[in-house]
Amino acid sequence: MDWLRFGNPEYLHLLWAVPPLIFLFLFGLRQKQNGLLRFHSNVDPTHLKHHRIQAGLLLLSYLCVTLAIARPQWGAKSESVAERLDVIIALDISTSMLAEDEKTVRRLDHAKAFIFSLLDELEGDRIGLLYFAEASFVVCPLTSDTVTLREFLEAITAETLAHSGTRIRNAIETAIDRLIPDQNRTTITSDFGGQKVLILFSDGEDHGREAVEAAKTATQRGVHIYCVGVGSPVRSVPIPLPGDTGTETTPYKRDANGQLVLTALDETRLQEIAKVGDGNYYHATAGITQLATDLARLEKQKFRIRADGDYQERFQWFVAAALILLICEVLHFTLLFRKPRR
């Protein structure tokens, strides 16, 4: 029977005890009847009928308990439907993110504060976290657990940065690889294709030239790219060397000729990537209101989430039936042997 199965089918062997029990009950009842006839010329059939009812109730309760232990299962479990976006947040962790465009406020800290606020707006969506500089790597795959994401963000500090150079193309390609295959998981069925999103947090400095081409590829594969610029586009500032913060004289990055290396926000590059990526560009100082509004306009993907297994547990019905039968047997026994009042 395809519609019925048992979670513990080995306990069904206990049902072999039912025929012997029936035989014992009938044999005992016959012996009792013969014993009564030795002392009485006639036996009240109602009395024997009550004993048959008791025996039947006990047998049925045994049958129900056995079936309950075997865990009968039938009927498809209900499936829940959820709507959400799949969002990869890519954070630039190159040394230029140590620069302070505002006094005592590093670009990295500014970007992290923005992301913390954004996580509140993306409640219910799946979010992944990616760090990139010359190379890129996923530190947290797509998840609805924002607590874990916040812990990863807290862990990245100015003292841990040691990555020079930035290649935005690598970040885009890594994000695509994470966003696209994820829709093929066997436990989740997609009713229709919603939007997938990559949000880049960077100062726009890119030592590669292929970021725009990578953004075009992302768009063709259904990924929207939004860029958040961190830093000042009008003022260049020096880059503190990582690991030397907190000293009285902060050393700054210099080129081969000993000249200070200055950095400024390259909004033009980020705007171009966002435009090609069918997204939008925002400056970090503008807050998250517009970005959250634009993300809310995207068509969210519907997922039918199957429960584990195809059947529902039904043992509760048999436990309840066994309890009712036992209660009926006790009440019947009490009524049978209750002495009439005089």
Side-chain angles (χ1 to χ4, degrees):
M1 292 182 292
D2 293 336
W3 59 273
L4 173 66
R5 72 178 183 184
F6 291 90
N8 300 319
E10 63 273 13
Y11 288 103
L12 292 176
H13 292 296
L14 295 174
L15 295 176
W16 290 109
V18 173
L21 287 174
I22 294 175
F23 174 78
L24 288 174
F25 276 124
L26 293 176
F27 179 77
L29 196 61
R30 172 64 67 178
Q31 291 296 104
K32 183 174 184 178
Q33 183 178 1
N34 292 336
L36 290 173
L37 287 174
R38 291 176 185 176
F39 301 97
H40 302 278
S41 59
N42 188 23
V43 178
D44 186 2
T46 305
H47 184 78
L48 296 177
K49 181 180 179 182
H50 284 306
H51 282 285
R52 291 193 187 95
I53 293 174
Q54 280 185 281
L57 291 172
L58 289 173
L59 277 172
L60 287 174
S61 62
Y62 173 83
L63 181 64
C64 289
V65 169
T66 301
L67 292 174
I69 295 174
R71 288 176 53 210
Q73 303 166 350
W74 70 81
K77 290 186 176 181
S78 58
E79 298 177 337
S80 58
V81 177
E83 290 187 353
R84 65 192 175 207
L85 289 176
D86 286 347
V87 180
I88 292 287
I89 295 175
L91 175 61
D92 186 349
I93 59 169
S94 61
T95 52
S96 63
M97 293 293 286
L98 295 177
E100 298 178 357
D101 298 274
E102 301 175 14
K103 191 174 182 180
T104 70
V105 179
R106 297 188 180 94
R107 293 175 182 175
L108 178 66
D109 295 330
H110 197 174
K112 286 173 60 176
F114 192 109
I115 295 173
F116 281 131
S117 299
L118 182 62
L119 291 178
D120 294 331
E121 299 293 332
L122 296 176
E123 190 70 31
D125 295 324
R126 289 196 306 174
I127 310 165
L129 182 62
L130 178 153
Y131 293 159
F132 70 97
E134 277 282 337
S136 61
F137 51 96
V138 175
V139 293
C140 184
L142 289 168
T143 179
S144 299
D145 183 9
T146 57
V147 174
T148 301
L149 283 168
R150 292 176 184 274
E151 290 177 355
F152 279 114
L153 279 172
E154 290 285 1
I156 189 73
T157 63
E159 288 70 24
T160 59
L161 294 191
H163 303 275
S164 299
T166 308
R167 294 190 182 274
I168 297 177
R169 173 193 174 182
N170 292 341
I172 296 174
E173 291 177 344
T174 302
I176 293 174
D177 291 340
R178 287 290 176 155
L179 286 168
I180 301 303
D182 192 76
Q183 63 190 353
N184 297 323
R185 291 187 179 180
T186 57
T187 58
I188 300 175
T189 302
S190 174
D191 287 344
F192 64 86
Q195 307 297 336
K196 297 179 181 294
V197 178
L198 167 63
I199 306 176
L200 285 166
F201 288 82
S202 176
D203 55 19
E205 290 196 349
D206 188 7
H207 295 83
R209 300 182 178 180
E210 305 88 358
V212 174
E213 291 300 320
K216 290 180 181 178
T217 302
T219 304
Q220 293 169 358
R221 300 188 65 181
V223 178
H224 292 256
I225 300 178
Y226 294 83
C227 296
V228 179
V230 186
S232 172
V234 296
R235 185 167 64 93
S236 298
V237 293
I239 303 173
L241 292 177
D244 292 317
T245 56
T247 59
E248 294 183 0
T249 305
T250 302
Y252 292 98
K253 186 176 182 179
R254 296 178 181 272
D255 60 19
N257 298 322
Q259 300 296 316
L260 279 175
V261 176
L262 301 178
T263 176
L265 169 62
D266 188 348
E267 287 190 306
T268 303
R269 184 181 297 274
L270 293 177
Q271 288 169 348
E272 186 178 6
I273 293 172
K275 182 178 180 180
V276 173
D278 199 19
N280 209 341
Y281 168 80
Y282 317 87
H283 192 274
T285 57
I288 65 169
T289 303
Q290 188 58 50
L291 173 56
T293 300
D294 290 344
L295 293 177
R297 293 195 185 105
L298 293 177
E299 181 182 35
K300 293 193 174 185
Q301 189 165 11
K302 282 187 178 179
F303 286 90
R304 179 174 285 112
I305 305 175
R306 302 194 194 103
D308 294 335
D310 298 326
Y311 299 87
Q312 289 196 51
E313 296 280 358
R314 303 293 187 179
F315 70 90
Q316 304 93 332
W317 295 10
F318 294 90
V319 172
L323 288 174
I324 292 172
L325 289 169
L326 289 173
I327 291 172
C328 291
E329 192 276 334
V330 171
L331 293 175
H332 187 271
F333 181 84
T334 304
L335 293 174
L336 177 62
F337 291 96
R338 177 184 293 175
K339 293 182 178 180
R341 296 179 181 178
R342 292 182 179 180

